[in-house]
Amino acid sequence: MTQVCKTAFVIEPPDDLLQQYPQLKRAAHELALSYAHCELVTDDRLKAIGSQLWQAINSAEGFQQSLEYAGNKVLPIVVKSADPAIQNLPWEILHHPQHGFLGRETAFTFSRHVPQADTEPEEVNAGPLRVLLFTSLPDDLNPERGRLAVEEEQEAVLEALMPAIASGQVLFEAPNDGRFETLQQQLKTFKPHLVFLSGHGKFIQSAIDDQGSRGCFIFEDDWGFSEAIEEETLASAFHGCAVRGVVLSACESGKAASDALNNGLARRLMAAHLPFVIGMRESVMDRAGILFARAFCDAIALRERVDVALQAARKAIITPIKNSIGKDGDKSELAELSLGQWCLPTLYCAHLEAPLIHWQFEAQPPHQYRLQTKLEGVPLPEKFRGRRRELRKFMGQLRQGKRSQLLFTGPGGQGKTALAGKLALECQQAGWQVVAWSAKEGQHWDDFYLDLRLKLNKENRDWFKDVCEVVKDPEQLSFKLLDALCAQRTEKLLILLDNLESLQNEQSRALQDKTVEAFIRAAQRLADKGVVLLATSRWLLPEWPEDHHWPLDHLSYGDFLQLFVLQGQPTSDYSKLRKIYRVLNGNGRGLQYFSAAAKSMNLEEETQFLQALSQAESDVQTDMALQQLLHQRSDEQRQLLQRMQVFEEPVPIEGVIKLGADLTDPESLLAELVNFSLVEQSHNPHWLANEYHCPELVVKAVNDHLGTPIEDASWLLAAEYLGYLFKNERSNLSMAQSLHRAMMRAKQKELAHRFAMDTIVGRLNNAGLYRTLLEEWLPPICEAENAHIRGEALGQTGKQYLHLGDYETALSYLKQSLAILQEIGDRSGEGTTLNNISQIYDAKGDYEAALSYLKQSLTIRQEIGDVAGLCTVLFNMGHIHLQNEQGSEALNAWLSAYRLAKPIQLAQVLEALARLAEGLGLNEHLGVKGGLSAWEVLLEQQEQRAQAPEPR
């Protein structure tokens, strides 16, 4: 750290300075106009004004004494005045005859002090230093003069701070949007010590008097347009915050009126008692702003005082043109104009010697953002960074209804899923319905389609069952389903389909799954009804509209740097960072695996590996880095990785430990694999548990590396663990389907068939997925070796055909089922099948045959004491009697069902009877309320008649 003299040289201009030297005010005004009009300001011109300022303060003797006292330490120079007109003079260009510009020479620091801003020194907390880079760049700014090099500035700041981030001295945040609400949220949650507020500032000069003049900062609104937040509102956002310093990297942010000390952005923040405030007195060009930010952060990363860092930043602005950076670097005339802007950064402070933080603390390794979140089964990064322009552009279009579909394409590792997922999450937080599906291995379309059907309310679900019996075209079915989902809520419905390249033909690029293709067409047709479709793939779909296609470019260098930080792998070697970025073409996934592999390499090995990567094709680079990473792992780590593929969905740590029970400390092995990005870790908020999953890319690589198939024992362990989860914790349909697939892979076919019949078939039947059952689930079970399972499956197959109205086919299957069940003596199954056969004859209008089968079923139910089955048969018999105009017999059958169901509270039967009473008008006829009241009255009447004495 630079040694700074504790005693500053304080300049206190006399109150009548401008009366004695009126030319200073005129010169300052003309200088401000030159900056405003983008005119060239030379050092000679600044020297002329600065020399006049030196002569006016007449402090040569005191200055010499302060120099001698400081010795070889840096001498702080402070301009102190309570006069706003005097504070408006360009003191930073103060020029000494021998020492030159005191505001940029390394032997000094230069700042300002306003007595009215004096406060008691605040207690300074220990680090790490939390730095917030907040940028705002609305879309409606002038395309030529209004655009700032936001990305270049972010790169400069992040690259400068990287060494301190790597050592745990600095924590860094750079939000993806520039809304004022986001700034307020960051101030409360991230609690930064140092804030860079980068964008456009403006000082509005009142035409009447200075009292109406004010400063403002241009934020983004929800649509990406400009929103001017005035100085007072901005200052209020910092009340009660931990902020120690604010750098206003914005034009005119240091400008103020000549008769008010708390006027203008910088002074208003100063009046809010922030310890350090830096503002720009006039308009600043991109090149000057970027050089300033880089040099300032370089110094802060070295723990320099704010005034020392600012002095270095001013000097950096006069860097020769040949080393120019920023978007205007190739425009020498603009770059030259920026050289004269070194004096515009202005520092206001109350306690110059106070640090931003106490640097004596135990630094911790950078946090690694390895957790994932899930959006309806699509894994997303724990923290989204980068793609600022695309995010702002498309979020605005979605909110405004200007876009209803969008396909992101590009090579793997460029963040297609992360960007589409971030857009979907933002819409979900805004109240939209959001559903998502990934075409990756282990994600099944039928599961997703079933989830959509289950999102329908009961009325729409019953309606859609009827639709499925009539409509056979997949596109029309999807159209009806999505239309019903939209009608349930007023908010838009957003559908995210991820990783579609898994379904595309390598030559034609057409989708090979025609059901998914039909679903996409249906969603596109519903754009005018509020359906929004987002999709990702490596390749463009043949029939996708070109104006709704966005090919993603490689990540920018700034985004690449942020990935380094998020992965907890920052480095201080800037040339190395740029080389890695260049070699990997900005591929984020390649960076992930390369960085992990590089942990175990020395410098020579890393250099050689980078050379090899640079000669490979982009698609091969990720595989190369992954193979290198696998090569570095131990045999046990590779074994655990291969075994983890038996879980197609993320599982809690207990499941992984169960797989590795024969390995040395499987929990530590897993932690290492997560650390090297070979296993994805996500958090399940519903179960309050972290879950682990081996990505498909890693699965393929480890299988290729080992060259041996996975052991049968691992499949069996997976089925056992998923069975435990289903029984004790997660008894939902999705887990049931995963467990069934695990049983099949573990070669537990009969057990899987039994589980499907007991757990899955009934749920799918209730959801109306009759064709799904007939095409996918029931055919293999109908071939089961176990006669009981086979007979039950044939009966369920007949039941599905009955739902679809194919009575002859239904009767054929039910009779096959009946024969098997009778042969093995399954009386319960026989009774159920007889009941189902009766329903076919009922539907055909043959009530006599229907009643005959019901009576056979009734006898069996009575024999085995099946109360629930009895109620079902009696309910159906009542309907047959009613259709035969036998009202009394019908009521007796239903009353019998009520008498049986009431004591044991058979909910399904009682609910059906309540609906029946309403439909028959019994409640109104008997003068009772709804529900089961009518059956209760009828039962009492029946019992009274039974107890009444017979007439003589």
Side-chain angles (χ1 to χ4, degrees):
M1 293 176 61
T2 301
Q3 295 297 307
V4 182
C5 183
K6 293 183 178 180
T7 304
F9 173 61
V10 180
I11 300 172
E12 295 190 73
D15 293 341
D16 61 350
L17 179 72
L18 292 177
Q19 284 73 39
Q20 295 182 47
Y21 303 95
Q23 71 275 17
L24 288 176
K25 186 174 183 178
R26 183 171 60 254
H29 178 69
E30 291 172 352
L31 181 61
L33 289 176
S34 294
Y35 284 122
H37 297 151
C38 294
E39 297 173 356
L40 178 64
V41 177
T42 64
D43 265 10
D44 287 341
R45 183 178 176 189
L46 295 177
K47 178 180 177 181
I49 303 174
S51 297
Q52 292 181 47
L53 284 170
W54 178 255
Q55 293 172 7
I57 62 172
N58 192 23
S59 300
E61 184 177 349
F63 179 69
Q64 187 59 37
Q65 291 176 355
S66 294
L67 271 178
E68 293 174 358
Y69 181 79
N72 64 350
K73 296 180 180 179
V74 169
L75 175 63
I77 301 173
V78 180
V79 175
K80 182 177 181 180
S81 176
D83 188 326
I86 291 176
Q87 283 284 2
N88 271 0
L89 294 175
W91 290 104
E92 285 68 25
I93 62 173
L94 189 66
H95 191 272
H96 187 274
Q98 285 79 44
H99 297 283
F101 291 109
L102 301 182
R104 77 180 188 199
E105 295 303 320
T106 55
F108 310 100
T109 70
F110 200 96
S111 61
R112 302 182 183 218
H113 178 63
V114 177
Q116 282 86 335
D118 281 346
T119 59
E120 286 292 324
E122 297 180 7
E123 182 179 349
V124 180
N125 296 324
L129 178 68
R130 294 189 293 272
V131 178
L132 173 66
L133 175 58
F134 190 92
T135 56
S136 173
L137 191 59
D139 290 329
D140 54 349
L141 296 174
N142 185 293
E144 291 296 326
R145 293 181 290 109
R147 310 300 290 179
L148 294 178
V150 169
E151 290 183 351
E152 289 90 338
E153 184 179 43
Q154 284 186 345
E155 290 170 13
V157 170
L158 189 49
E159 200 174 59
L161 294 175
M162 194 69 78
I165 295 173
S167 63
Q169 304 289 318
V170 168
L171 300 178
F172 179 82
E173 280 286 341
N176 279 309
D177 73 79
R179 293 176 295 168
F180 182 54
E181 293 81 3
T182 303
L183 173 65
Q184 292 174 302
Q185 180 185 24
Q186 286 286 329
L187 292 175
K188 289 180 173 61
T189 57
F190 182 53
K191 299 179 180 179
H193 302 113
L194 179 61
V195 176
F196 286 86
L197 199 54
S198 177
H200 276 276
K202 189 174 183 181
F203 185 76
I204 304 170
Q205 192 79 43
S206 173
I208 303 173
D209 57 50
D210 283 344
Q211 295 295 325
S213 301
R214 63 197 184 279
C216 63
F217 186 86
I218 310 300
F219 287 89
E220 301 166 9
D221 65 10
D222 289 338
W223 316 107
F225 299 129
S226 298
E227 181 181 22
I229 299 296
E230 294 190 1
E231 55 189 47
E232 189 170 351
T233 303
L234 178 61
S236 67
F238 289 87
H239 290 165
C241 295
V243 175
R244 300 277 301 154
V246 176
V247 180
L248 295 161
S249 186
C251 297
E252 301 184 355
S253 55
K255 197 168 186 175
S258 60
D259 63 350
L261 276 174
N262 60 351
N263 180 267
L265 287 174
R267 289 193 192 171
R268 179 66 72 174
L269 291 177
M270 173 202 67
H273 304 301
L274 290 171
F276 301 96
V277 180
I278 297 174
M280 305 297 171
R281 287 189 294 107
E282 304 294 343
S283 298
V284 178
M285 292 182 176
D286 284 338
R287 178 184 178 276
I290 295 169
L291 287 169
F292 165 81
R294 175 57 189 268
F296 183 83
C297 289
D298 273 332
I300 291 295
L302 295 174
R303 306 185 182 185
E304 297 287 10
R305 286 177 20 164
V306 173
D307 57 334
V308 174
L310 178 57
Q311 197 82 355
R314 292 197 192 105
K315 191 172 184 65
I317 295 176
I318 62 172
T319 301
I321 302 299
K322 65 180 180 179
N323 295 325
S324 179
I325 62 174
K327 70 175 185 177
D328 295 329
D330 59 341
K331 301 177 182 178
S332 59
E333 72 281 3
L334 293 179
E336 188 174 353
L337 289 176
S338 71
L339 297 179
Q341 298 186 334
W342 65 264
C343 57
L344 296 183
T346 302
L347 169 62
Y348 293 95
C349 61
H351 304 286
L352 194 61
E353 71 287 349
L356 288 172
I357 60 168
H358 282 312
W359 290 99
Q360 300 304 317
F361 64 94
E362 185 177 350
Q364 300 296 321
H367 175 66
Q368 300 178 10
Y369 289 92
R370 299 194 181 281
L371 278 176
Q372 290 192 330
T373 183
K374 280 206 167 187
L375 176 68
E376 298 271 324
V378 176
L380 299 174
E382 178 186 3
K383 203 163 193 177
F384 179 83
R385 281 291 177 264
R387 299 292 182 188
R388 178 188 176 99
R389 292 179 180 177
E390 290 96 337
L391 183 63
R392 184 179 63 247
K393 174 181 180 178
F394 296 127
M395 195 67 247
Q397 291 177 350
L398 291 173
R399 284 171 173 162
Q400 296 172 60
K402 293 181 178 179
R403 190 176 289 277
S404 60
Q405 56 181 310
L406 187 60
L407 172 64
F408 293 110
T409 63
Q414 293 299 336
K416 302 182 294 294
T417 299
L419 176 59
K422 176 65 174 176
L423 290 169
L425 284 172
E426 290 284 330
C427 291
Q428 187 179 61
Q429 291 171 5
W432 292 22
Q433 300 182 73
V434 174
V435 295
W437 177 73
S438 176
K440 291 183 178 180
E441 183 179 352
Q443 302 290 323
H444 300 273
W445 177 258
D446 289 338
D447 294 353
F448 170 67
Y449 203 79
L450 173 61
D451 286 341
L452 291 183
R453 293 187 64 164
L454 294 177
K455 290 181 186 296
L456 294 172
N457 58 34
K458 189 178 186 310
E459 180 182 354
N460 281 333
R461 200 178 302 167
D462 293 341
W463 168 81
F464 192 68
K465 284 183 185 178
D466 296 337
V467 170
C468 291
E469 293 179 12
V470 178
V471 178
K472 310 302 179 187
D473 178 61
E475 180 180 336
Q476 192 63 14
L477 272 177
S478 294
F479 181 89
K480 295 289 186 183
L481 174 60
L482 295 176
D483 192 29
L485 279 173
C486 287
Q488 288 184 176
R489 293 172 59 179
T490 57
E491 300 87 357
K492 290 185 178 181
L493 170 64
L494 186 146
I495 303 166
L496 170 59
L497 302 179
D498 180 45
N499 202 50
L500 290 180
E501 67 268 14
S502 299
L503 307 178
Q504 288 180 266
N505 182 280
E506 291 187 5
Q507 281 74 41
S508 67
R509 306 302 191 204
L511 287 173
Q512 295 173 305
D513 190 319
K514 298 305 176 184
T515 306
V516 177
E517 185 179 47
F519 181 88
I520 289 174
R521 288 197 301 268
Q524 291 171 326
R525 287 168 53 194
L526 284 163
D528 59 338
K529 290 193 174 183
V531 173
V532 174
L533 179 61
L534 298 182
T536 74
S537 175
R538 291 194 178 190
W539 309 297
L540 176 65
L541 296 171
E543 297 182 4
W544 194 278
E546 183 59 38
D547 56 341
H548 293 293
H549 167 225
W550 188 265
L552 281 184
D553 294 329
H554 295 301
L555 286 172
S556 69
Y557 180 56
D559 291 348
F560 202 70
L561 289 178
Q562 291 203 56
L563 285 182
F564 261 97
V565 174
L566 291 179
Q567 292 175 14
Q569 299 166 4
T571 176
S572 57
D573 189 342
Y574 309 138
S575 60
K576 173 182 172 181
L577 289 175
R578 292 185 179 274
K579 184 176 182 180
I580 295 172
Y581 172 72
R582 202 164 47 246
V583 167
L584 293 177
N585 294 309
N587 187 293
R589 189 177 298 129
L591 166 67
Q592 183 179 16
Y593 294 133
F594 169 80
S595 299
K599 290 179 180 179
S600 303
M601 297 179 185
N602 58 37
L603 181 59
E604 182 179 356
E605 291 171 336
E606 183 180 323
T607 303
Q608 291 175 352
F609 189 53
L610 267 177
Q611 179 64 27
L613 286 176
S614 67
Q615 296 172 358
E617 296 291 332
S618 295
D619 290 341
V620 181
Q621 289 177 333
T622 299
D623 294 335
M624 289 177 62
L626 184 51
Q627 285 294 343
Q628 179 66 30
L629 185 56
L630 287 172
H631 178 73
Q632 297 169 350
R633 306 282 63 78
S634 68
D635 289 339
E636 287 198 329
Q637 286 177 335
R638 288 191 289 264
Q639 287 179 44
L640 185 59
L641 268 179
Q642 187 188 45
R643 294 177 189 181
M644 284 186 66
Q645 68 183 283
V646 300
F647 294 120
E648 59 183 36
E649 293 288 334
V651 295
I653 192 171
E654 293 83 3
V656 183
I657 292 175
K658 186 177 182 67
L659 283 178
D662 61 323
L663 303 177
T664 305
D665 195 357
E667 190 168 353
S668 295
L669 293 175
L670 177 62
E672 279 292 292
L673 294 174
V674 170
N675 185 48
F676 283 100
S677 303
L678 292 169
V679 169
E680 293 176 348
Q681 181 183 10
S682 57
H683 183 71
N684 190 320
H686 181 74
W687 300 109
L688 299 176
N690 286 342
E691 298 178 336
Y692 302 86
H693 182 61
C694 188
E696 184 180 349
L697 188 66
V698 177
V699 168
K700 181 180 182 302
V702 76
N703 286 338
D704 291 344
H705 187 91
L706 293 176
T708 56
I710 191 168
E711 299 172 349
D712 291 343
S714 295
W715 295 111
L716 186 59
L717 286 170
E720 290 176 355
Y721 179 70
L722 292 179
Y724 164 81
L725 274 185
F726 180 81
K727 180 180 178 180
N728 296 284
E729 191 174 278
R730 311 183 186 190
S731 56
N732 53 57
L733 182 57
S734 176
M735 177 57 72
Q737 292 171 315
S738 294
L739 173 55
H740 179 267
R741 289 188 287 267
M743 289 177 174
M744 293 296 287
R745 285 193 291 261
K747 301 177 183 178
Q748 297 177 310
K749 186 179 292 187
E750 292 299 311
L751 188 60
H753 290 335
R754 181 70 269 162
F755 178 75
M757 293 302 299
D758 292 341
T759 309
I760 298 174
V761 171
R763 299 189 189 188
L764 296 180
N765 176 75
N766 291 335
L769 296 179
Y770 312 131
R771 293 196 178 278
T772 298
L773 284 166
L774 289 172
E775 293 171 6
E776 296 180 24
W777 286 92
L778 290 172
I781 308 178
C782 287
E783 303 295 326
E785 293 181 8
N786 183 291
H788 183 272
I789 295 175
R790 187 169 67 254
E792 193 175 337
L794 288 166
Q796 280 290 345
T797 302
K799 187 175 180 180
Q800 308 315 309
Y801 280 111
L802 173 60
H803 287 313
L804 294 173
D806 188 346
Y807 303 131
E808 295 305 318
T809 304
L811 188 58
S812 171
Y813 276 99
L814 286 170
K815 286 185 174 181
Q816 292 179 61
S817 171
L818 183 63
I820 293 174
L821 296 172
Q822 288 174 335
E823 181 181 347
I824 64 176
D826 181 356
R827 299 289 281 166
S828 177
E830 182 184 355
T832 298
T833 305
L834 288 167
N835 177 76
N836 290 337
I837 291 174
S838 77
Q839 299 308 294
I840 294 176
Y841 288 104
D842 181 17
K844 295 169 68 174
D846 189 345
Y847 303 131
E848 185 176 348
L851 197 56
S852 172
Y853 279 102
L854 284 172
K855 287 179 179 178
Q856 294 179 58
S857 178
L858 184 67
T859 300
I860 293 173
R861 301 293 189 188
Q862 288 171 334
E863 289 178 359
I864 63 177
D866 181 1
V867 177
L870 272 172
C871 290
T872 300
V873 172
L874 288 167
F875 197 85
N876 291 335
M877 289 181 74
H879 280 290
I880 299 295
H881 286 307
L882 186 65
Q883 288 159 343
N884 283 330
E885 298 182 355
Q886 298 171 320
S888 177
E889 288 84 349
L891 283 175
N892 284 335
W894 289 326
L895 275 173
S896 296
Y898 178 66
R899 185 184 294 107
L900 291 169
K902 178 184 174 183
I904 57 177
Q905 289 296 298
L906 287 175
Q908 191 172 357
V909 176
L910 294 175
E911 288 174 6
L913 286 168
R915 291 194 299 271
L916 179 63
E918 187 68 30
L920 294 173
L922 291 178
N923 297 318
E924 184 178 356
H925 176 71
L926 295 172
V928 295
K929 295 181 179 180
L932 297 169
S933 302
W935 298 114
E936 191 64 29
V937 170
L938 289 172
L939 184 62
E940 289 176 1
Q941 292 176 354
Q942 188 183 65
E943 291 175 347
Q944 288 172 1
R945 286 195 298 271
Q947 295 172 2
E950 294 184 5
R952 294 182 180 180

